[in-house]
Amino acid sequence: QNQQYGQPQQQQPQQEQYAQERAQIEQTKQKQKKEGLQFSWNIAPSTAVDSKAMSIPFGAMITPYKKVENMYVAKYNPVICRNCGAALNPYANVDYTNKQWTCPFCLHRAELPFNYHKMTPTQRPAEVHDVCSTMEYVISPPNTYKPKPVFLYVVDTCMETKELEFLKAELNRSLDLLPDDALVGLITFGHMIQLYEIGFEECTKTFVFRDDRTYTAEQIQDMLALNRVKVNAQAPPQHNTMAANVQSRFLMPLADVEINFSEILEGLTPDPWPKAKDQRYARATGTALSIATSLLETGFKQQGAKIVTFISGPATVGEGAVATRPYKEQMRSHNDLKQENAPLHAKAVKFYRALTERIVRNGHSVDIFSASLDQPGILEMMSLAENTGGTIIMTDTFENPAFSQSLVSFMDRDDDDDLQFALNGTMKVFCSNDLKICGALGSCASMNQKSRNVSESTIGYGNTFCWKINALHRSQTLAVFFEATAKSEQVNHQSTQRFFQFMTSYQHVSGELRLRVTTASMRAAPSLNYPLLGVGFDEETSTVLMARLAVFKAQTKFLYDVLRWLDHSLISLVARFGMFVKDNPNSLSLPVNFRVFPQFMYHLRRSQFLRLFNTSPDESAYYRLHLNREDTTNCVKMIQPSLWSYSADSPKVPRSVLLDSRNVTKNVVLLMDMYFKVLIHVGEQVAWWRSQGIHEQEDYSHIKDMLEQPHEDVKPILASRFPYPKFIVCDQGTSQARYLLTKINPSFTHHHGGSADATRVFTDDASLQTFVEHLKKYVVTGTY
C-alpha cells in the first residue's frame, strides 16, 4: 500500500538526505532568534500552488527593538538602493574592482558612495559582514536639536478617596523613574476636564473643559491662546509659536517642574460631581483623550510622545461613552455584541478609531492603565493602544501589585540607564521579487504605501510594505505574512534564494534618530517538493501566526467558523506532510518538527483567545491585544502554559511535565506559568504534611524544600514579566485550583476513571487523545 511519499523503504534515505539541510536550518534559526526574527517556514515556497498547499501561512515574527548582544551601531547613514529602497547588506553582490553593488532584492546595480571606494575584500564596511545581518545606524545629523521623550499624564479622578491615594502614590513614584529632561504634563478628568498649566508658578492654574462639547484642535489652540501668549525665552527652538508655547506652559522638563507637579498630584481629590448610589460616575474619558491628542498635535507633531492614561471605570458621558450612568443598565456582554444589542458600542468604536488615526499621524502613542471591578471599555478603546504601539494594563484596584509593578516595569531602565522603549517608529519590509507581502498583524498601523512586492490579497493591515509603530518595546513583535505568486512554468527562471529585509527607523529616548536593519536569506524549495519544504517548518512560530490570524478573523466572523478554519488547516497540513496508509489511522506518523503542532492547536482552541465563556468583552480584548504584541516565546506560554513538578525525590530540581491531569497528583507541588497568571498548586498530601508541621522536622527537610523551592523559582518570572502576572498559591481541591484545571488536558474526567492518584476534571471537553484520534481519522480517510 502506497504511502504519501512512496514506499516505506524510501523514508530512511529521505531522512538522511535532508539531515544536513535540517542542521543548517537549526543553526540559522538560533542566530535569527537572537536578532529577533523567526519564520514559520525556513524554506520558502517557489510557486503559488506550493504556498496554498502549505496550509499554514508563510510569515515571520519580527521583534524590531529586541536587545541584541554586541550589535554594531554605525555613526553614518546606510547605502540605500535607489530602485527599491533596501539597504546594503551581507547578501549584496559587491564588485570591489568597479566599486559597485547589486541589490539582492531588485537586482539593480549601482555605484557605491565615494567614501566606500577604498573598500577591498579584506577591508570591508560593517554592513557587508555576515555577523552584521542586524545592525543600527545613527541617522540624525550631528549638532541638531534632539527631541526629548514626552509624557502626558491623563488621570481619572472618579474613584473613592482611598483608591485615589494609592494612584497618587504610584504616580509620584513614576516621576522618580523618568529622566530629568523628559517633558511632562497633566490632564485630570471626571465630569469636567482640567488641563494644568504647570509652567505657571504663582499658583495652580487650570483650563476647564466641558464634557458635552466636541473640541477641534483649532478650538483648543484658540482657547489656550497659544498664538497670543508671549513665549518663554528658555523654551527649546521650534518651528512655530504654538509649539513653543505648549512646551513653555503645559509640558515642561521634569527637572524644572518636579516639585510643582508633585504638589498638584498631592492636591488631587475625587471628582466632586454629585453621584447617586445607584449610578456610575460621570466620566468623560473620550473628551479628555481628545484634548490630550490636540495638545500634543500642536506642540509635538512628528515627535515621539506618550499619552499615559489612568482610568477606574467606563466612560459614561461625552464622546466615546461606552456605558450609561444607572447601574441597572448593564454594560454590553458577548451576547449583546453578537445580537447587535449594544447601542453605545458602534459609536464609541468609531470615535476612538478616528482619534487613533490622528494619534498615528502625529507619531504619538497611548498607554492605558485600568483598575476597575466593572468593565472600563477596553474593547472600544483597544485601537488606541494596538495601532499606536501602546500597551494596556487591566487590574481590579490601583492597590494591586499587578498595577504598581507593571508601572515600574513600564518605566524601567536598561544597562545604559535609558528607558527601555523607543518612539515614533516606522518599519519597512523588503523581499525578493518572487514573493509578495500580504500584510502584518500586531501593534502597528498601515501607512498605505505600495510597492511592486505588495500582494493584492491582504492579511491584517495590508496593501502596504510600510507600517507605523509609534512606540517600540523590547518584546513587541509584529507578524508579517508573505506569499509566493509565481506560476509553475516560471520556476526554472527563478533563483534558489529568497531574501528579506526589515528596516525600522525610530527616535531613541536620547533623542537620536536611528535605523535598525535586519536582513535574512533562505533557500527556496523546488516546486511540489513538499518533503524538502517540510524540513523548514517551525512549530512555535507557526502556532503564533495561526493564533494571531484566528483572533483577527474572530473580529468579523463567528467563532464556530474560525474553529472550523483552524481544524481544516491542521488536517490539510498533516495530510500533506504526514506519512500514512490510507484508511489506517494507526499508521499516521509526522516528521519530528511537526509532532507538537497538533497539541498547540488543541490548546489554542481551548484558550481564552477563542473561548469567550466566563470572560467579559474587555477581558477578551485585553488578552488578544497582548497576544498580538508579545514575542513567540511569550505567546506560546499564553496558548500552552508551562508546567513544572516538584516531588520529595527531587525537591530542588523540578521536572517539566505535560499539561495533563495525570500529572496533578496528591504528593507533588506544581508550578504553572500561564503568562497572565502564575500558579503554585500544592497537592492534597503535601498540604496535609504542611498542616501537621511535618516539614519543620529535621528528618523531613526535603518536604520543606519541596514547599519553598517553587516560591524561589517564581521570583525571576514575576520580576521579568510585563504585564505583572496574577500570582496564585492554592491547595488541591480549593476554589482557586480551578485555574489549573481549566488549562490541563482532561485525560481523566467524571465520565471515566483513571489512576487513584490522578485528578479527575469535571468537564465535557474532549481530551487531547480524543482530538488526535479524530485528526488521524480525518487525515487517513480524506473526508475533511
Side-chain angles (χ1 to χ4, degrees):
Q1 299 181 30
N2 290 334
Q3 295 190 352
Q4 188 172 356
Y5 294 148
Q7 299 296 332
Q9 61 267 25
Q10 294 178 354
Q11 184 175 358
Q12 186 63 30
Q14 184 186 64
Q15 297 298 325
E16 294 177 356
Q17 177 184 353
Y18 297 131
Q20 184 177 0
E21 189 81 32
R22 185 175 287 107
Q24 292 177 350
I25 288 175
E26 286 300 319
Q27 184 178 1
T28 303
K29 283 169 59 177
Q30 293 301 320
K31 177 179 180 294
Q32 291 177 349
K33 187 175 182 179
K34 293 178 181 178
E35 298 174 350
L37 180 62
Q38 292 177 272
F39 288 94
S40 57
W41 300 86
N42 291 278
I43 295 180
S46 294
T47 66
V49 174
D50 296 339
S51 191
K52 184 178 180 180
M54 293 191 309
S55 301
I56 304 301
F58 176 41
M61 295 286 288
I62 174 68
T63 310
Y65 196 57
K66 181 181 177 67
K67 186 175 179 60
V68 180
E69 297 295 334
N70 302 319
M71 181 178 63
Y72 183 74
V73 180
K75 303 291 185 179
Y76 51 84
N77 290 335
V79 178
I80 300 296
C81 174
R82 294 181 179 179
N83 187 46
C84 68
L88 180 63
N89 58 79
Y91 303 102
N93 185 8
V94 179
D95 184 348
Y96 296 97
T97 302
N98 298 316
K99 309 304 178 185
Q100 295 178 331
W101 70 289
T102 303
C103 175
F105 298 97
C106 64
L107 304 181
H108 177 73
R109 190 173 179 87
E111 294 284 341
L112 286 166
F114 179 77
N115 55 330
Y116 282 73
H117 284 190
K118 294 183 180 180
M119 180 176 63
T120 65
T122 57
Q123 294 181 339
R124 298 177 294 166
E127 52 262 47
V128 297
H129 283 273
D130 293 338
V131 294
C132 291
S133 54
T134 293
M135 64 176 293
E136 281 194 353
Y137 300 87
V138 179
I139 58 177
S140 54
N143 302 322
T144 58
Y145 170 71
K146 295 182 179 179
K148 303 303 179 185
V150 180
F151 298 86
L152 178 55
Y153 286 64
V154 181
V155 181
D156 178 10
T157 58
C158 295
M159 63 189 80
E160 300 296 327
T161 302
K162 182 179 179 182
E163 186 77 355
L164 185 58
E165 291 299 322
F166 285 120
L167 176 58
K168 291 193 297 185
E170 294 303 327
L171 292 178
N172 273 313
R173 183 183 178 189
S174 70
L175 294 179
D176 296 333
L177 302 174
L178 293 177
D180 290 339
D181 57 355
L183 305 182
V184 294
L186 178 64
I187 292 176
T188 62
F189 66 94
H191 196 287
M192 300 291 184
I193 299 92
Q194 295 84 31
L195 169 60
Y196 288 79
E197 186 175 336
I198 57 175
F200 193 80
E201 299 178 353
E202 284 74 9
C203 64
T204 301
K205 182 179 179 181
T206 63
F207 291 81
V208 181
F209 301 86
R210 295 179 57 171
D211 67 292
D212 57 352
R213 291 187 181 179
T214 301
Y215 299 98
T216 64
E218 291 75 15
Q219 288 175 325
I220 296 294
Q221 295 162 8
D222 185 61
M223 296 173 71
L224 300 180
L226 295 179
N227 274 324
R228 298 191 296 272
V229 177
K230 183 179 178 180
V231 179
N232 189 332
Q234 296 181 350
Q238 295 295 326
H239 296 296
N240 58 70
T241 303
M242 290 192 297
N245 278 325
V246 170
Q247 297 197 27
S248 63
R249 297 171 56 197
F250 300 102
L251 288 125
M252 299 184 64
L254 178 61
D256 298 340
V257 297
E258 184 171 7
I259 297 177
N260 187 26
F261 200 94
S262 298
E263 290 177 351
I264 293 174
L265 290 177
E266 288 297 330
L268 294 181
T269 58
D271 184 60
W273 198 266
K275 180 187 84 73
K277 290 185 178 180
D278 61 346
Q279 285 189 329
R280 298 182 177 92
Y281 281 101
R283 184 180 288 108
T285 309
T287 308
L289 288 170
S290 178
I291 293 171
T293 301
S294 297
L295 185 67
L296 291 182
E297 185 176 341
T298 303
F300 303 92
K301 196 166 188 177
Q302 296 305 317
Q303 178 181 332
K306 279 183 166 290
I307 301 174
V308 189
T309 310
F310 302 88
I311 58 176
S312 61
T316 56
V317 294
E319 295 181 303
V322 297
T324 55
R325 295 198 63 189
Y327 276 121
K328 65 180 181 180
E329 298 178 11
Q330 296 183 358
M331 289 188 65
R332 71 284 182 275
S333 63
H334 286 296
N335 279 337
D336 293 331
L337 295 171
K338 184 178 180 180
Q339 298 170 7
E340 298 183 354
N341 189 26
L344 297 177
H345 172 73
K347 186 177 179 181
V349 168
K350 182 179 179 181
F351 167 75
Y352 286 118
R353 284 181 178 173
L355 192 61
T356 299
E357 292 178 3
R358 289 177 57 195
I359 296 172
V360 169
R361 288 197 302 268
N362 297 333
H364 307 149
S365 65
V366 179
D367 303 282
I368 301 173
F369 292 81
S370 167
S372 173
L373 296 174
D374 198 359
Q375 295 186 70
I378 296 299
L379 176 64
E380 288 79 6
M381 293 191 291
M382 189 170 70
S383 63
L384 288 173
E386 184 172 50
N387 296 132
T388 66
T391 188
I392 295 178
I393 304 298
M394 196 165 72
T395 64
D396 51 359
T397 68
F398 287 115
E399 187 182 5
N400 194 317
F403 166 69
S404 57
Q405 294 299 323
S406 295
L407 185 59
V408 170
S409 298
F410 179 73
M411 303 288 189
D412 200 10
R413 308 284 188 95
D414 58 17
D415 296 336
D416 298 324
D417 202 33
D418 290 325
L419 294 170
Q420 297 200 66
F421 55 78
L423 301 168
N424 197 19
T426 301
M427 188 179 77
K428 296 180 179 180
V429 178
F430 304 93
C431 62
S432 298
N433 289 332
D434 310 308
L435 298 171
K436 300 291 185 182
I437 303 168
C438 297
L441 285 173
S443 295
C444 63
S446 171
M447 295 189 69
N448 297 316
Q449 295 183 13
K450 292 191 175 184
S451 70
R452 69 184 187 284
N453 286 114
V454 174
S455 174
E456 294 181 358
S457 59
T458 62
I459 297 178
Y461 306 112
N463 289 319
T464 185
F465 75 103
C466 184
W467 293 268
K468 201 83 173 74
I469 317 171
N470 289 344
L472 286 162
H473 296 257
R474 291 297 187 189
S475 63
Q476 190 170 327
T477 304
L478 268 66
V480 183
F481 297 86
F482 303 93
E483 67 172 357
T485 56
K487 298 180 180 179
S488 300
E489 59 269 18
Q490 298 173 330
V491 172
N492 294 332
H493 303 288
Q494 292 180 333
S495 65
T496 59
Q497 288 296 116
R498 301 291 181 267
F499 301 97
F500 307 85
Q501 189 172 90
F502 304 87
M503 187 183 296
T504 308
S505 59
Y506 64 88
Q507 174 189 322
H508 192 264
V509 290
S510 65
E512 289 181 338
L513 298 181
R514 294 191 180 185
L515 178 71
R516 179 178 294 199
V517 179
T518 298
T519 312
S521 171
M522 69 171 62
R523 177 183 174 183
S527 181
L528 304 181
N529 191 343
Y530 298 122
L532 176 59
L533 201 59
V535 172
F537 183 68
D538 186 290
E539 293 174 305
E540 292 190 353
T541 307
S542 298
T543 298
V544 178
L545 289 179
M546 289 294 285
R548 290 196 179 189
L549 193 49
V551 165
F552 177 75
K553 288 177 178 287
Q555 296 177 5
T556 55
K557 295 183 178 181
F558 292 113
L559 280 179
Y560 176 79
D561 296 329
V562 176
L563 294 176
R564 284 288 299 271
W565 168 77
L566 277 176
D567 293 341
H568 187 272
S569 299
L570 175 61
I571 296 170
S572 300
L573 179 78
V574 175
R576 175 66 63 187
F577 295 95
M579 305 286 294
F580 61 88
V581 176
K582 187 173 176 57
D583 296 328
N584 184 358
N586 295 327
S587 67
L588 177 64
S589 65
L590 286 171
V592 64
N593 56 329
F594 284 80
R595 291 174 185 170
V596 186
F597 188 72
Q599 180 177 312
F600 285 146
M601 290 295 100
Y602 170 76
H603 287 289
L604 174 60
R605 295 175 93 261
R606 302 179 72 226
S607 68
Q608 66 270 34
F609 307 114
L610 298 178
R611 178 168 291 187
L612 305 180
F613 177 75
N614 204 31
T615 59
S616 67
D618 278 5
E619 287 176 310
S620 296
Y622 173 72
Y623 293 138
R624 290 173 175 179
L625 178 133
H626 284 281
L627 176 71
N628 276 327
R629 174 187 173 84
E630 290 299 321
D631 58 24
T632 303
T633 302
N634 289 336
C635 289
V636 169
K637 279 193 177 71
M638 299 179 197
I639 296 168
Q640 179 177 305
S642 304
L643 187 64
W644 292 275
S645 177
Y646 299 79
S647 64
D649 297 333
S650 57
K652 288 184 174 294
V653 183
R655 293 185 302 112
S656 177
V657 296
L658 293 175
L659 201 64
D660 196 287
S661 58
R662 292 188 178 97
N663 295 313
V664 186
T665 57
K666 300 178 180 180
N667 58 350
V668 299
V669 178
L670 299 174
L671 171 60
M672 183 165 70
D673 184 2
M674 299 175 273
Y675 189 81
F676 298 106
K677 301 180 183 72
V678 179
L679 178 140
I680 294 178
H681 180 273
V682 182
E684 185 179 347
Q685 184 67 52
V686 181
W688 185 83
W689 291 338
R690 182 191 59 200
S691 66
Q692 299 299 313
I694 294 176
H695 64 294
E696 299 294 347
Q697 300 178 22
E698 185 176 352
D699 294 339
Y700 296 97
S701 60
H702 57 287
I703 296 179
K704 183 178 181 180
D705 292 338
M706 181 172 59
L707 287 166
E708 293 179 350
Q709 190 61 40
H711 291 269
E712 293 298 319
D713 292 343
V714 83
K715 288 179 180 178
I717 297 176
L718 299 178
S720 61
R721 182 65 49 80
F722 180 85
Y724 190 84
K726 182 178 181 179
F727 180 44
I728 304 166
V729 180
C730 64
D731 294 342
Q732 186 176 11
T734 59
S735 62
Q736 289 193 316
R738 68 186 186 277
Y739 292 113
L740 173 68
L741 300 181
T742 57
K743 291 294 184 181
I744 60 176
N745 167 38
S747 295
F748 302 134
T749 68
H750 59 290
H751 293 300
H752 58 273
S755 63
D757 293 335
T759 296
R760 293 185 182 182
V761 182
F762 291 84
T763 181
D764 290 326
D765 284 353
S767 66
L768 176 60
Q769 294 84 351
T770 303
F771 179 79
V772 172
E773 287 173 5
H774 282 77
L775 172 63
K776 291 179 178 179
K777 174 185 173 183
Y778 286 119
V779 168
V780 301
T781 59
T783 56
Y784 56 93

